[in-house]
Amino acid sequence: RIGAHSQIHSYSMIGHDATIGQNVCFHSDTMCASAAVIDDDVVVMPGSAIIKTGKENRHIGKGAIIHPRVTVARDVDTYEIISLAGNNTRRIYGAVVRT
């Protein structure tokens, strides 16, 4: 399912059974694992990926922003900014964000 006013740009892959909320933007060259739940107002910037680890499905909270070239392998909190810059290093190892 894809919510109203959402955008999926070129070369993006969205897995089957994914649920995408309203006003979500997947920029070009992004990937989203199957059965992921993406809440409203989320931005996934170019080259980023939301991947599934094991049998757990991913949940991306409302208003979250995933910066370019980041691979997310955990749930993202509401309004969280996932970036390799700044002080958000508590759960980031290299270019892969894990639990």
Side-chain angles (χ1 to χ4, degrees):
R1 295 186 339 209
I2 300 174
H5 308 293
S6 292
Q7 302 174 16
I8 300 174
H9 292 257
S10 60
Y11 304 108
S12 294
M13 295 183 292
I14 309 296
H16 68 307
D17 295 330
T19 302
I20 299 172
Q22 296 181 14
N23 302 316
V24 174
C25 183
F26 280 93
H27 285 272
S28 60
D29 194 31
T30 56
M31 184 179 79
C32 178
S34 63
V37 177
I38 313 296
D39 288 345
D40 299 340
D41 305 320
V42 171
V43 177
V44 182
M45 294 188 182
S48 296
I50 300 165
I51 65 170
K52 183 177 177 178
T53 54
K55 295 184 179 184
E56 297 179 29
N57 295 324
R58 295 293 130 228
H59 179 259
I60 309 300
K62 180 179 180 174
I65 299 173
I66 300 173
H67 277 228
R69 304 278 178 228
V70 175
T71 301
V72 178
R74 66 166 172 89
D75 291 344
V76 176
D77 296 331
T78 302
Y79 297 109
E80 184 175 3
I81 299 172
I82 302 296
S83 173
L84 297 177
N87 295 327
N88 188 16
T89 58
R90 70 190 196 288
R91 291 182 275 186
I92 297 177
Y93 307 95
V96 178
V97 180
R98 303 177 194 266
T99 28

